[in-house]
Amino acid sequence: MPVIECDVDEARRTLADAGVIVSDGKSEYEEWRARHGDAVAIAYDDKLVIQGANPQDIEAILRDAGGHAYLYFDGASRGNPGPAATGWVIVTSDGIAAEGGTRIGRATNNQAEYEALIEGLETACDYGFDSVDVKGDSQLIVKQVTGAWKTNNPELRERRVRVRELLEEFDKWSLKHVPREVNERADKLANEALDDG
């Protein structure tokens, strides 16, 4: 549950300008509430508490655009294909900016890896980062997206095209293969999403 220390009046204006509906607080301590996507922001004297399944839906609007981020992604599948999930983490010099894990139904491990990358890139785009270094432990995804390997599977090819479209949103990007232990948080989020489903 993220907490943002800020001028809550300014945050309210920013959210309203973005088309978010802001309502009165539900207690004497709450200044106001705002709901957007799968997130709810509750304003107190000098801070916002963001709740919900995807707090980044509101954080992305309030965050100053620009800057550099690192995106770690991983997919998990129990069976190939089988129940599958995604995990991703966006890290900046200030720490974790956003993270998520989603159960995606039945998929192969490679499909889950691509979906994790797409979810993470979409969030990084929403946050307005100028540049992103992407890291994952799937050599196949890295090699296909960078063009070192062909993508013969039509479903994976479609996902690769979407990844390339998202990467073009950044002024600068890189995509590198890393060992599984470097990608531990994204792996954990994907497996937690599978366990919770």
Side-chain angles (χ1 to χ4, degrees), residues 145-165:
V145 171
T146 58
W149 292 355
K150 290 183 181 179
T151 312
N152 296 324
N153 181 299
E155 287 190 26
L156 297 185
R157 190 178 312 124
E158 186 177 313
R159 288 174 172 91
R160 182 184 60 82
V161 168
R162 177 64 181 143
V163 167
R164 292 296 303 203
E165 289 171 350

Side-chain angles (χ1 to χ4, degrees), residues 27-99:
S27 75
E28 62 181 285
Y29 304 105
E30 296 179 8
E31 304 253 341
W32 49 266
R33 285 179 167 242
R35 178 178 293 278
H36 183 65
D38 287 332
V40 175
I42 303 165
Y44 297 96
D45 287 336
D46 57 355
K47 66 184 174 189
L48 287 180
V49 176
I50 304 177
Q51 302 172 338
N54 292 310
Q56 64 267 16
D57 290 348
I58 288 179
E59 282 182 295
I61 296 170
L62 296 173
R63 185 187 178 283
D64 292 333
H68 182 74
Y70 298 88
L71 167 62
Y72 296 85
F73 72 95
D74 201 6
S77 176
R78 300 214 173 121
N80 205 18
T86 63
W88 53 269
V89 183
I90 297 173
V91 181
T92 68
S93 58
D94 295 327
I96 293 176
E99 61 183 15

